[in-house]
Amino acid sequence: MTITESYKQLNISSEVYDFCQEIWESLGERFAKIDAISEYNQLKVLGAMQAHQVSEACMLGTTGYGYNDIGRDTLEAVYADLFHTEDALVRPQITCGTHALALALMSNLRPGDELLSPVGKPYDTLEEVIGIRPSTGSLAEYGVSYKQVDLLFDGSFDYENIRKAIGPKTHLVTIQRSKGYQTRPTLSVERIGELIAFIKDIKPDVICMVDNCYGEFVETIEPTDVGADMVVGSLIKNPGGGLAPIGGYIAGKKACVENAAFRLTSPGLGKEVGASLGILKDFYQGLFLAPNVTANALKGAIFAANCFEKLGFSTVPNGTEERFDIIQAVTFGSADALVAFCEGIQAASPVDSHVRPEPWPMPGYDSDVIMAAGAFVSGSSIELSADGPLREPYAAYFQGGLTWQHAKFGIMRSVQQLADKGLVRLTR
Ligand SMILES: *Cc1c(COP(=O)(O)O)cnc(C)c1O
């Protein structure tokens, strides 16, 4: 069977194949650059694993209190090494990215302190952590105040107002690397470095924390290489490599990580407890695969941007822009097209390909939301996944793809879905 026949068996017509294949073949130069970054990062991960003598015994887990868990302690040393930090906390007891961020914030801020976001509104779920939206147990309830300086219209930093916002109470600055589900540009590590240098120049002892979600391994450097005191992220995104079934990490200055450890477990106990159960092999192997998995997701995102641009939709980032995270937004302009796109992604999944995603009134949103996710790990967004609120401008956000072959297929399947419903015309 030829490759086109294989695609045909999976419901990709020869018209869609030809349209997409021509675009795929035009991207060789960009893909080569991504491969070079993942090669560099693969060596970084491998080097850290070898330097800390990861051994067969590290794959086993502990139970109960988890004292002297060599696998857990070694993994944390590996993370600290590759982020070039003094210490790290990498735990299955950190349940998700929001939890990791809440932990880092709540353990490093004390009543009377002020938190500053100099890059605009943080990720949705952090609004309740901070208390921007009143919530039980928020930082606001504990007497931690919050200031925010938005980015300027052109996406640049509002240095003047950032300077004004830094006061005697300012204790921690939170910087979100990825745009998340906003329209601002994602920050490159270099730009994060410029911002941190500016802030440290005004107040050297302020803690600079970076929400690193979706950014890990996209570049050859990480925010901790340019002055960040702490980076925080989720293991069901990039650094888990698709294998970690849960978890989060905090890497940074010893004092910052220690604060987080004492909060995660208990004062007096800190990093000493926390059984790893049977999960470490997936953490190690996922981390080992993460540079390649991130590269695969990036190739899918760039391919999608180019396909949907050619079909007449606007994309953020666009087809030619440099990438600093793995998220791709496509503005479909109509509910039908957004739904068809998500149906295509779902139909391309290895799990639950037979179910049809439907828009539903998700808590916290003012309109229905449609989600496509056929993942091995529930909710994992390093696996190919998409979602979008059913309101103007009907934009879909999608990310992930454990292999580029699957990311490519997922996009082709969504183009097919749009074509089948007569929502696009394929022009070459
Ligand atoms: C995903 C994400 C989070 C929250 O992570 P969850 O695991 O969904 O709780 C926070 N910040 C950014 C930028 C993210 O992308």
Side-chain angles (χ1 to χ4, degrees), residues 176-186 316-317 325 327-328:
Q176 186 177 308
R177 178 173 175 180
S178 168
K179 67 182 168 307
Y181 302 124
Q182 289 174 269
T183 46
R184 74 156 167 93
T186 286
V316 182
D325 69 10
I327 299 179
Q328 180 64 50

Side-chain angles (χ1 to χ4, degrees), residues 338-361:
L338 171 60
V339 169
F341 171 79
C342 289
E343 285 172 353
I345 296 292
Q346 186 74 40
S349 299
V351 179
D352 287 335
S353 64
H354 54 285
V355 307
R356 199 162 51 89
E358 297 219 12
W360 63 295

Side-chain angles (χ1 to χ4, degrees), residues 23 68 75 156 300 319 398:
I23 293 171
N68 303 313
L75 180 68
S156 61
F398 97 95

Side-chain angles (χ1 to χ4, degrees), residues 25-205:
E25 282 167 8
S26 74
L27 295 170
E29 218 170 287
R30 299 206 60 197
F31 290 173
K33 280 192 190 139
I34 290 169
D35 286 338
I37 292 170
S38 78
E39 186 176 356
Y40 181 95
N41 285 328
Q42 183 71 75
L43 297 181
K44 185 156 72 169
V45 170
L46 183 62
M49 287 186 175
Q50 293 184 351
H52 293 279
Q53 303 193 339
V54 172
S55 62
E56 195 177 346
C58 292
M59 305 302 137
L60 306 172
T62 53
T63 56
Y65 295 106
Y67 293 129
N68 303 313
D69 188 322
I70 182 190
R72 177 196 69 204
D73 295 347
T74 303
L75 180 68
E76 292 180 337
V78 168
Y79 263 73
D81 193 333
L82 63 95
F83 282 110
H84 303 127
T85 56
E86 292 170 2
D87 207 350
L89 190 66
V90 186
R91 303 279 167 132
Q93 286 84 10
I94 302 176
T95 56
C96 62
T98 304
H99 186 191
L101 289 157
L103 182 62
L105 291 171
M106 294 186 156
S107 61
N108 281 287
L109 288 159
R110 295 286 179 277
D113 286 345
E114 189 156 87
L115 168 67
L116 169 67
S117 173
V119 296
K121 189 181 85 66
Y123 198 75
D124 266 16
T125 55
L126 287 188
E127 290 186 18
E128 285 181 83
V129 171
I130 295 168
I132 300 171
R133 271 186 282 144
S135 184
T136 304
S138 70
L139 284 166
E141 262 195 8
Y142 283 89
V144 174
S145 56
Y146 171 69
K147 268 200 186 136
Q148 178 177 313
V149 178
D150 290 338
L151 294 171
L152 294 172
F153 187 69
D154 63 358
S156 61
F157 301 124
D158 185 354
Y159 283 120
E160 196 187 320
N161 282 311
I162 293 170
R163 181 186 295 280
K164 282 186 201 149
I166 298 172
K169 284 170 45 176
T170 312
H171 187 65
L172 197 152
V173 172
T174 180
I175 300 166
Q176 186 177 308
R177 178 173 175 180
S178 168
K179 67 182 168 307
Y181 302 124
Q182 289 174 269
T183 46
R184 74 156 167 93
T186 286
L187 302 175
S188 66
V189 172
E190 190 185 351
R191 286 192 68 204
I192 290 172
E194 287 161 13
L195 179 59
I196 292 173
F198 177 80
I199 290 163
K200 295 265 183 184
D201 194 44
I202 298 166
K203 192 164 185 179
D205 60 348

